[in-house]
Amino acid sequence: MIIATAGHVDHGKTSLVRALTGVDTDRLDEEKRRGLTIDIGFAYTDLGGSVPTGFVDVPGHERFVRNMLAGINAIDLALLVVAADDGPMPQTREHLAILDVLGASSLVVVLTKIDRASLTQRDLSRAAIASLLEPTRFADAPVFEVDTPAGIGLEALRAHLAERSARWVERETTDGFRMAIDRAFTVPGAGLVVTGAVLSGVACIGDQLVVSPLGDVARVRQIHAQGQPAEHARAGQRCAINLSGPHLDRSLIGRGQWLVTPFTHAPAQRIDVTLKALASLDKPIRTGSTVQVHAGAAHVSAHLHLMNRRELAAGAGAFGQLVLEHALPLLWGDRLVIRDPAARATLGGAIVLDPLASARGRSTAQRQTRLQHLNLPDPAQALRELLDGSPLGIELDAFERSRNLSATAAAQLREASQAHLAIPSGSAAREDIGRPAPGIGLSATHWAQWQTTLIEVLSQSHQNQPEHIGLKPSELARLSAQTYLARFETDRDAGVRRADAIAHAALRTVMAQGQIVRDGIHVRCPDHRPVLQPERQALLERVHEALAEAGLRAPIVGELATALGMERADLLSFLRDMAALGHLLPVAANRFYLPGTLDELAAIAHQLAANTPDGSFDAAAYRDASGIGRNLTIEVLEFLDRAGVTRFAGNRRMMRT
């Protein structure tokens, strides 16, 4: 269990922790000289629970709120310390507001310095505290009166804390490991040590973690949890972790960094959030404001953009976007404190909804709906709603990362949502092989409708242009994407490129099912037969016979015209018309092939690529394998490049995926 103090300066927080633990948490020389807590301090004691209880003592002066915020992550209980002779003071109120914003689950009020206050003063202080707590989740918090130097009231407080410690239950550790680093230092003989509160997951000795947002990879050498050597660092503990790694830049590692599993390392600067302004604000928060964002032990300046409003009144909530000055590895559900850097005052809080938000479409109704879905606490329900409302699909691995889902949980979620992985994205550097494949997922309904749209668009094309063999795949994908998206008022955040990719993926599926077939470089419906005028059909059949007899060494137009007894100009015009309709392939300006010959030309390239370690081949190898000569080889390979079968790179060619 982790307990943090809170409260105004000089109300006795450090003395109280020292009395409970025997540890002086003021470790800095300046703190001892001035008698003032400047930075967070730590102590551990045995309250009778299964593990030692950790105490985090925070500074109470308004100038050090930034330090206070760095120490209250992942706490289980807060001790709100109030001097009986003063009652609640400005930092009492601000610290309480911060605890409320960060979602602290439990609070105990400690009324200190009772020896300096009359009974009337104590009663007034208790009444003021009750009034302060009444609108918060801490309205029923117990109050303990103590005289710390004399030890009066400490046993009752210690007994209460011991009882809470005995009931403490370890947090779930099935998600990815994340620790907010609040200190970093070097230990002789051990090297770099970082300390902080573990927000989620578990890390073991030997694990590979990432210092984020730096991106430095580190190995866990040793662990101290709650002040004792341990094999694991778990959610809900304060830990010191000894790190090693050949590329660790120790000069850049310190407070504000995060130690995370590789999968959750995805720092970003633009995040969508749900905001809540403090009820005590004397003026509204305006869109476009520069604010200071506190996340974990980090703080960073940011521009705040409210969605569909110009300002946020005291006590009100709204969706917004924060554009951070520096990237942070935030995830869904992370709680942020928003402060006014000029006034040194807390404005409110925010909860992360989308840590990889888009800059476009902030004011659209679709964005509002998306954020409402993201705001759902159940990831399965949120994903279903997002998939149903997204004709362009959802980046499944990004959603799973934002929710910090384990590989097992992610796989179960996909199965439950029946999400179809329409566009698997290759990731040669996947850091977690056991995870589901990354890519764009679609709901079963949208995926079926994409396929139906392809068939409908192609069928309509056959009706409008009965002489055509069909459409090129790229043409069909583009027209189908336009047709499908026209049915929705999408904000098109993902863009035309994603729509085109989804259409191509759907096309591959319907072709595999035989609902659309390939004919040369075109595709058509299986039952479509192009209808030409009788004389043109007869000439095309003669051309087919001549080209079929020539095989891979198709004659140039002049040679073909002589064989058919025609004028070259007349035949060339006819061949170009037939190529435009998809009946022939214009391999070069002066040479045409049958559509079916494309399979043979491509098969040679496939075989050559398969026979080399890097999957590439050159023109000479193709010439020798095909036997068609050097000049014709160049024409054929350039045509295969244009047709999307091969790609040219560095005097060699590779197959396109």
Side-chain angles (χ1 to χ4, degrees):
M1 187 167 75
I2 303 175
I3 300 173
T5 62
H8 198 74
V9 63
D10 200 32
H11 275 203
K13 297 183 295 298
T14 303
S15 299
L16 179 65
V17 172
R18 183 167 57 244
L20 291 171
T21 67
V23 177
D24 184 0
T25 54
D26 281 349
R27 54 188 171 80
L28 302 177
D29 291 340
E30 185 179 358
E31 291 177 317
K32 296 182 182 300
R33 185 175 64 253
R34 297 172 60 183
L36 175 70
T37 300
I38 296 173
D39 202 359
I40 49 178
F42 311 101
Y44 301 93
T45 192
D46 183 3
L47 291 178
S50 57
V51 295
T53 298
F55 283 80
V56 182
D57 184 34
V58 306
H61 198 286
E62 64 172 347
R63 290 170 50 196
F64 306 123
V65 171
R66 179 182 297 179
N67 292 345
M68 175 265 184
L69 282 160
I72 56 172
N73 298 290
I75 65 171
D76 299 289
L77 186 148
L79 294 179
L80 184 64
V81 180
V82 182
D85 55 341
D86 280 344
M89 298 290 282
Q91 292 312 113
T92 311
R93 295 179 176 86
E94 183 168 23
H95 283 200
L96 179 62
I98 289 171
L99 292 171
D100 198 26
V101 161
L102 291 178
S105 58
S106 188
L107 181 135
V108 170
V109 178
V110 183
L111 197 62
T112 60
K113 303 186 180 182
I114 58 174
D115 56 311
R116 301 186 184 182
S118 66
L119 290 176
T120 301
Q121 283 180 303
R122 288 156 64 174
D123 289 342
L124 290 174
S125 292
R126 291 180 70 112
I129 291 169
S131 176
L132 193 61
L133 297 181
E134 195 276 330
T136 74
R137 66 169 62 88
F138 310 122
D140 296 328
V143 179
F144 290 87
E145 298 186 0
V146 302
D147 175 358
T148 304
I152 297 172
L154 290 179
E155 285 306 315
L157 174 60
R158 185 180 286 109
H160 178 78
L161 297 180
E163 188 270 333
R164 299 289 289 269
S165 179
R167 288 192 284 114
W168 178 75
V169 178
E170 288 187 339
R171 302 181 191 181
E172 292 288 335
T173 57
T174 55
D175 42 10
F177 181 82
R178 299 175 74 215
M179 186 179 90
I181 298 174
D182 52 42
R183 290 180 65 204
F185 49 89
T186 300
V187 175
L192 178 66
V193 174
V194 296
T195 71
V198 181
L199 279 69
S200 64
V202 59
C204 306
I205 294 176
D207 282 357
Q208 296 286 337
L209 300 173
V210 176
V211 180
S212 190
L214 291 178
D216 293 352
V217 178
R219 185 179 70 86
V220 178
R221 293 183 60 189
Q222 298 179 64
I223 297 172
H224 274 67
Q226 300 294 101
Q228 295 184 337
E231 295 293 320
H232 307 88
R234 304 175 61 88
Q237 294 178 331
R238 275 204 58 83
C239 295
I241 300 181
N242 180 202
L243 300 175
S244 66
H247 304 296
L248 285 179
D249 189 342
R250 298 178 183 178
S251 65
L252 298 178
I253 298 174
R255 179 172 295 177
Q257 305 291 329
W258 300 66
L259 193 61
V260 302
T261 56
F263 180 66
T264 59
H265 169 61
Q269 290 182 255
R270 192 178 298 274
I271 56 174
D272 283 347
V273 299
T274 176
L275 291 154
K276 180 68 178 295
L278 293 187
S280 58
L281 292 184
D282 56 4
K283 61 180 180 179
I285 304 172
R286 298 189 181 279
T287 191
S289 300
T290 297
V291 297
Q292 190 166 73
V293 176
H294 293 261
H299 59 87
V300 60
S301 293
H303 290 291
L304 169 63
H305 300 279
L306 299 171
M307 296 188 182
N308 294 324
R309 62 177 65 198
R310 292 183 177 275
E311 58 184 33
L312 188 64
F319 292 131
Q321 185 173 95
L322 291 166
V323 183
L324 308 178
E325 185 178 19
H326 305 296
L328 291 177
L330 300 176
L331 297 183
W332 179 92
D334 282 349
R335 289 180 174 268
L336 316 175
V337 175
I338 309 298
R339 304 191 80 232
D340 182 343
R344 292 183 178 177
T346 299
L347 300 175
I351 300 176
V352 176
L353 298 181
D354 187 354
L356 295 171
S358 170
R360 300 177 57 187
R362 283 197 301 246
S363 61
T364 63
Q366 292 74 25
R367 186 62 156 267
Q368 293 284 319
T369 301
R370 173 180 168 79
L371 292 178
Q372 289 169 3
H373 294 160
L374 286 171
N375 201 24
L376 295 170
D378 178 18
Q381 183 183 2
L383 182 57
R384 283 195 302 270
E385 297 289 349
L386 289 168
L387 289 169
D388 289 344
S390 303
L392 291 176
I394 296 297
E395 293 184 28
L396 293 175
D397 55 321
F399 177 84
E400 292 154 3
R401 179 184 293 109
S402 73
R403 295 274 176 155
N404 198 9
L405 299 179
S406 66
T408 300
Q412 293 172 345
L413 184 66
R414 292 194 188 190
E415 182 178 0
S417 68
Q418 297 183 324
H420 179 85
L421 190 64
I423 316 173
S425 58
S427 183
R430 291 284 294 177
E431 65 281 330
D432 199 340
I433 303 301
R435 296 200 66 87
I440 305 300
L442 291 169
S443 70
T445 299
H446 280 303
W447 180 237
Q449 290 175 348
W450 272 101
Q451 297 174 61
T452 300
T453 300
L454 284 161
I455 298 171
E456 291 173 347
V457 169
L458 187 55
S459 298
Q460 187 62 50
S461 174
H462 291 332
Q463 294 180 30
N464 296 341
Q465 299 175 307
E467 288 189 337
H468 278 261
I469 287 285
L471 295 173
K472 293 181 179 179
S474 58
E475 294 175 326
L476 177 57
R478 176 177 53 81
L479 292 173
S480 298
Q482 292 174 352
T483 301
Y484 193 62
L485 292 181
R487 303 173 186 171
F488 303 92
E489 295 181 1
T490 174
D491 62 12
R492 303 180 69 83
D493 275 352
V496 175
R497 187 173 298 178
R498 180 188 287 188
D500 187 65
I502 294 173
H504 274 93
L507 178 57
R508 288 192 292 272
T509 297
V510 294
M511 290 180 67
Q513 296 169 349
Q515 296 175 282
I516 291 178
V517 297
R518 185 167 58 82
D519 198 333
I521 61 173
H522 295 79
V523 292
R524 59 176 173 82
C525 293
D527 58 352
H528 172 67
R529 297 295 180 269
V531 180
L532 299 173
Q533 296 177 357
E535 62 274 14
R536 287 161 67 87
Q537 181 65 43
L539 179 54
L540 179 62
E541 291 174 359
R542 293 177 61 199
V543 170
H544 265 243
E545 291 175 2
L547 294 180
E549 185 177 347
L552 296 181
R553 298 179 64 90
I556 61 175
V557 174
E559 294 171 346
L560 184 59
T562 299
L564 296 177
M566 294 181 62
E567 292 292 327
R568 180 185 181 282
D570 292 340
L571 179 60
L572 180 59
S573 177
F574 175 78
L575 294 176
R576 287 174 175 170
D577 286 346
M578 293 301 101
L581 295 174
H583 296 279
L584 298 173
L585 298 181
V587 172
N590 198 33
R591 201 185 304 268
F592 294 80
Y593 274 74
L594 296 175
T597 310
L598 176 65
D599 291 336
E600 299 178 60
L601 299 172
I604 296 171
H606 273 288
Q607 188 60 51
L608 289 171
N611 291 340
T612 59
D614 63 353
S616 69
F617 61 91
D618 58 17
Y622 193 91
R623 176 201 63 201
D624 296 341
S626 63
I628 61 176
R630 182 182 182 280
N631 291 338
L632 183 52
T633 290
I634 298 302
E635 290 182 348
V636 166
L637 289 176
E638 289 178 348
F639 170 76
L640 291 177
D641 292 342
R642 295 194 302 273
V645 177
T646 58
R647 60 182 178 88
F648 183 67
N651 294 323
R652 296 180 70 81
R653 282 177 169 81
M654 303 183 73
M655 306 306 298
R656 290 188 182 273
T657 54

